Amino acid sequence: MDGRIHSIESFGAVDGPGVRFVVFFQGCPLRCRFCHNPDTWNPEGGKLISAEAIVEKAERCRAYLPNGGVTLSGGEPLMQPTFALDILLRLREARLHSALDTAGMVPLAVSAPVIDAADMVLLDIKALDPNECIALTGQSNLNELSTLDYCEKTAKRTWIRHVLVPGITLETEKLKKLADFLKKYTCVEKVELLPFHKLGEFKWKELGIPYTLTDTPAPTPKEIEAANNLFVRE
């Protein structure tokens, strides 16, 4: 099975537990205002590669992944569900730990087999309020929250990821609501709050896409600490 990828990182440290071999898929249905890789949006971009070749590359890095594994990221891996599933099944055969990094914006009828094949899910919660999610990403969070419910139903090990954007998602009341909402999910092992940054702003300019967060600052260390404190489980 061939698919389109944007790039591969052989030593990822922020893409799941341990050191990870990260495969960045090409194609994404979202248009997140804070996206730092808008060059992954076009599903016809990137380069073609086979699932077999990806797993072979990962196996060559096995010595560096004793406590890590392979993460399928993006873009959005679930935009290429058959390709992603092929990779995950091959990783299982190779006994390499797998993580699926997804925004969960694909219907479960398509995504469920892929989620089932992954050892864990890194689920990006963009915004809890559906209207805010539309304003922030161009789509509602219906499929996203359905994905979280499915992970709970199947007891899939899950990490939640949420980007802290000052003036948008970095607001105490919104974060409290999200923290309270997540408390009922026993599948959620960890919540990672990711500070907004503008390292990919130049890509927007190169692609001729208006960037709306030029004047938005990065969160301060104190703001990040306060946000993390809201998610401490007793």
Side-chain angles (χ1 to χ4, degrees):
M1 178 70 195
D2 290 345
R4 289 190 174 274
I5 65 168
H6 173 270
S7 57
I8 289 175
E9 183 179 352
S10 59
F11 200 85
V14 292
D15 302 277
V19 176
R20 314 293 297 182
F21 181 94
V22 188
V23 183
F24 295 94
F25 278 54
Q26 188 70 26
C28 185
L30 303 181
R31 296 295 180 264
C32 298
R33 293 173 60 195
F34 52 76
C35 181
H36 55 272
N37 285 318
D39 47 331
T40 65
W41 291 353
N42 181 4
E44 301 302 322
K47 56 186 177 182
L48 277 173
I49 189 171
S50 70
E52 181 181 17
I54 285 176
V55 176
E56 286 178 354
K57 289 177 183 289
E59 287 195 278
R60 290 200 290 271
C61 297
R62 185 187 291 270
Y64 303 100
L65 311 172
N67 299 311
V70 179
T71 298
L72 306 189
S73 188
E76 174 53 71
L78 293 176
M79 287 282 285
Q80 301 180 70
T82 306
F83 180 49
L85 180 59
D86 192 355
I87 295 172
L88 291 170
L89 294 177
R90 289 174 184 272
L91 290 173
R92 182 178 293 174
E93 289 180 2
R95 297 186 178 181
L96 280 167
H97 181 273
S98 64
L100 175 67
D101 184 0
T102 176
M105 293 295 189
V106 177
L108 281 171
V110 174
S111 66
V114 188
I115 294 170
D116 291 343
D119 290 316
M120 70 177 297
V121 170
L122 310 178
L123 182 60
D124 302 316
I125 298 291
K126 305 297 184 180
L128 192 57
D129 180 85
N131 292 323
E132 182 176 48
C133 193
I134 292 172
L136 191 60
T137 72
Q139 291 198 29
S140 78
N141 58 6
L142 178 62
N143 287 327
E144 182 178 86
L145 299 183
S146 294
T147 297
L148 179 55
D149 287 338
Y150 184 75
C151 289
E152 179 73 4
K153 177 182 176 181
T154 58
K156 180 65 62 178
R157 182 186 181 192
T158 303
W159 287 10
I160 298 297
R161 313 184 95 187
H162 184 64
V163 179
L164 299 176
V165 185
I168 302 177
T169 60
L170 183 52
E171 293 184 1
T172 300
E173 287 308 310
K174 291 179 182 178
L175 292 170
K176 282 182 177 179
K177 287 181 180 179
L178 180 59
D180 289 342
F181 175 79
L182 293 174
K183 286 179 180 178
K184 64 183 179 182
Y185 290 95
T186 59
C187 68
V188 174
E189 178 180 290
K190 183 178 182 179
V191 177
E192 291 186 311
L193 300 179
L194 310 177
F196 162 74
H197 63 75
K198 292 182 281 191
L199 297 179
E201 183 177 359
F202 74 96
K203 295 183 179 181
W204 290 68
K205 294 180 179 178
E206 289 179 350
L207 294 169
I209 307 171
Y211 187 73
T212 62
L213 299 177
T214 296
D215 297 326
T216 301
T220 67
K222 285 186 177 180
E223 288 175 326
I224 296 170
E225 181 182 8
N228 277 306
N229 287 339
L230 298 175
F231 289 82
V232 175
R233 293 190 174 186
E234 299 177 356

Tab-separated table of all heavy atoms in Angstrom, residues 41 57 72 102 121 200:
chain	number	residue	atom	x	y	z
A	41	TRP	N	-1.338	20.495	4.280
A	41	TRP	CA	-2.776	20.489	4.017
A	41	TRP	C	-3.141	19.807	2.701
A	41	TRP	O	-4.086	19.030	2.640
A	41	TRP	CB	-3.312	21.924	3.989
A	41	TRP	CG	-3.305	22.614	5.317
A	41	TRP	CD1	-3.009	22.062	6.543
A	41	TRP	CD2	-3.572	23.997	5.561
A	41	TRP	NE1	-3.090	23.022	7.521
A	41	TRP	CE2	-3.439	24.212	6.958
A	41	TRP	CE3	-3.922	25.073	4.742
A	41	TRP	CZ2	-3.645	25.459	7.539
A	41	TRP	CZ3	-4.129	26.314	5.325
A	41	TRP	CH2	-3.988	26.508	6.711
A	57	LYS	N	12.243	1.469	7.419
A	57	LYS	CA	13.027	2.595	7.928
A	57	LYS	C	12.943	2.651	9.454
A	57	LYS	O	13.946	2.901	10.133
A	57	LYS	CB	12.501	3.906	7.333
A	57	LYS	CG	12.803	4.112	5.851
A	57	LYS	CD	12.180	5.407	5.356
A	57	LYS	CE	12.397	5.623	3.870
A	57	LYS	NZ	13.802	5.937	3.547
A	72	LEU	N	2.363	8.021	14.025
A	72	LEU	CA	1.797	8.505	12.770
A	72	LEU	C	1.165	9.852	13.069
A	72	LEU	O	0.225	9.954	13.853
A	72	LEU	CB	0.750	7.530	12.226
A	72	LEU	CG	1.179	6.073	12.040
A	72	LEU	CD1	0.100	5.306	11.294
A	72	LEU	CD2	2.519	5.955	11.340
A	102	THR	N	-3.862	12.292	16.055
A	102	THR	CA	-4.985	12.665	15.205
A	102	THR	C	-5.842	13.739	15.859
A	102	THR	O	-5.891	13.843	17.089
A	102	THR	CB	-5.856	11.436	14.887
A	102	THR	OG1	-7.001	11.833	14.123
A	102	THR	CG2	-6.331	10.757	16.166
A	121	VAL	N	-3.479	6.462	21.319
A	121	VAL	CA	-3.941	7.602	20.529
A	121	VAL	C	-3.511	8.894	21.200
A	121	VAL	O	-3.650	9.056	22.424
A	121	VAL	CB	-5.477	7.580	20.369
A	121	VAL	CG1	-5.983	8.889	19.773
A	121	VAL	CG2	-5.907	6.414	19.492
A	200	GLY	N	6.039	28.504	12.295
A	200	GLY	CA	5.628	28.167	10.938
A	200	GLY	C	4.983	29.309	10.185
A	200	GLY	O	4.479	29.116	9.072
